Amino acid sequence: MHHFLKALVSAVALCAVTGLSPAAAVTLNLHNGGDATSLDPQRVSGDWENRIVGDIFEGLVTEDAKARPIPGMARDWTISDDGLTYTFNLKEGIKWSDGEPVKASDFVFAFKRLMDPEQAAQYAYLQYPIKNAEAINTGKMDDLDALGVKAIDDRTVEITLERPTPYYLSALLHYTAYPLPEHVLKEKGDAWVQIGNIVTNGPYRPVEWVPGSHVLTEKNPEWSDPESLDIDGVKFFTLEDQSAALRRYRAGEFDILTGFPTDQYKWLQENRPGEARVEPFAGLYYYVLNTSRPPLDKADVRKALSMAVYREIIGPNVLGTGELPAFSWVPPGIGNYESGPAYVEWKDMAYPQRVEEAKRLLAEAGHGPDNPLKLTLSYNTDDNHKRIAVAVAAMWKPLGVDVELTNAETKVHYANLRQGTFEVGRAGWLADYDDPTNFLDLLKSGIEMNYGRWTNPEYDALLNKAAEMQNLEERAATLVKAETIALEDSAAIPIYYYVSRNVVSPQISGFEDNIKDIHRTRWLAKTE
């Protein structure tokens, strides 16, 4: 009885804050896939974490229902004629969830922390367009105050860039650009992110976090417009088994699935028409090759493995949801890339010919049926990743390649990729902003997401040259040259361009399909 009364008192207290009766509270039950490693926006890296931190934090700009930039904490902004200086005017009365005002200095503090080399924020490079950001983050400059982010006053943030950057407003949508509550971090240190300590500025705030199970949020009463929110809170469920997730959806336990087994697509279409949402998506599914380990340090070995992947059957046959085969590193349709992407030179070669050429290349490297190349192929636990790995292993078998498959939960798998403890590994990249550099930077020397440790000085030089160019056509042509180098050297193995795969209950409205597959809870509603 004591525990029941405590729960009842807590529920009444929550309703007093939100102005809701207990029966009226509407919770969105969302299958979120991987386990969140943190609620600190500078410590996360996956789309499953983005779904959480994008609900509880808000940057200078934020996303509308179609994932397009709209004002967030900033009321408006101006861009200087030379494209170098962005001045953001913050909205009146914006607050952290503890009632303290959100100030321009909170943005300055966050950007400085992001670039502090001691923090080792793995996505810091996404904000390298800021003046002196790269130099500070790589240790070439030790003055954090030289970073091109200033608080003109409490309500004005000024960001100065190294050079004009046509996609920069889109880059500000990324969680690396979220503010942090300086007053809390200075008091709590690394413990600031724990439930009971954490303070956020988005539409929602976290109230419970059980690693391996879920994160629970509720409305943030200090956010600028809590009355506009139809959903009162979200339970983000950790569950990597998509078959189990689909069973729970069918049982009414989940309102939205953020993925489903592709062999169930036909069943969903026939039995739950309109609920499975498969849409084009700005992302790339690929395999990384650890170039620090022989014989994967040889370009011809990497090329043979890439040529033997029968991409054309993976989308329609292996997965069954129609993903398009990827023969480029940058997906088609990415902005500021009218002359791209570049494609592998053997794109139009018939598959049997590709296999014969792959056999020849491996034979020249000393491998074949009599001396098989033994590789371990790693992937994060997921039915679809397993299907692809099994299929690719079968495609490599005629070349004389023996593949051992190994899987691990998502955060362990990506930790292994970052540490280089793999041979061939599954990876994926979802566009953070609409520009080819978001993909090309993944192969740049020194970037943590360059899991395969591939390096090419000419490639790096072309990316650096493009970063200085203001003419978008000339810039695109330079980036095509860089992409061509990476493809010719088989830096990695692009496999397919993503489609987003969601399942949305008929009870949910406001879910807008978009190329970034970002669906903030603030735009959703649920009918019981």
Side-chain angles (χ1 to χ4, degrees), residues 460-474:
D460 294 344
L462 286 168
L463 291 190
N464 292 334
K465 179 182 178 181
E468 301 284 349
M469 303 174 77
Q470 297 188 38
N471 184 298
L472 291 180
E473 289 185 9
E474 294 176 0

Side-chain angles (χ1 to χ4, degrees), residues 247-359:
R247 288 194 295 271
R248 293 178 66 175
Y249 174 84
R250 292 176 62 184
E253 296 179 43
F254 292 153
D255 301 307
I256 295 175
L257 300 182
T258 56
F260 60 84
T262 53
D263 63 354
Q264 295 298 302
Y265 184 44
K266 185 177 180 181
W267 183 92
L268 283 163
Q269 288 177 304
E270 293 174 350
N271 295 276
R272 308 294 282 265
E275 295 179 34
R277 314 278 281 264
V278 176
E279 297 291 334
F281 188 39
L284 179 70
Y285 190 106
Y286 62 102
Y287 279 177
V288 283
L289 305 165
N290 192 337
T291 63
S292 66
R293 296 193 178 190
L296 297 176
D297 57 341
K298 297 178 181 178
D300 280 351
V301 171
R302 300 193 299 267
K303 182 178 181 181
L305 295 173
S306 185
M307 291 184 78
V309 175
Y310 198 178
R311 296 157 174 81
E312 295 90 334
I313 69 167
I314 288 177
N317 294 15
V318 178
L319 295 176
T321 39
E323 287 81 354
L324 294 174
F327 293 97
S328 66
W329 186 248
V330 180
I334 295 296
N336 306 318
Y337 208 38
E338 286 73 15
S339 56
Y343 292 99
V344 293
E345 61 182 357
W346 40 266
K347 173 179 179 289
D348 297 322
M349 185 184 294
Y351 183 68
Q353 291 178 269
R354 299 203 317 246
V355 172
E356 290 306 310
E357 177 64 9
K359 288 179 179 178

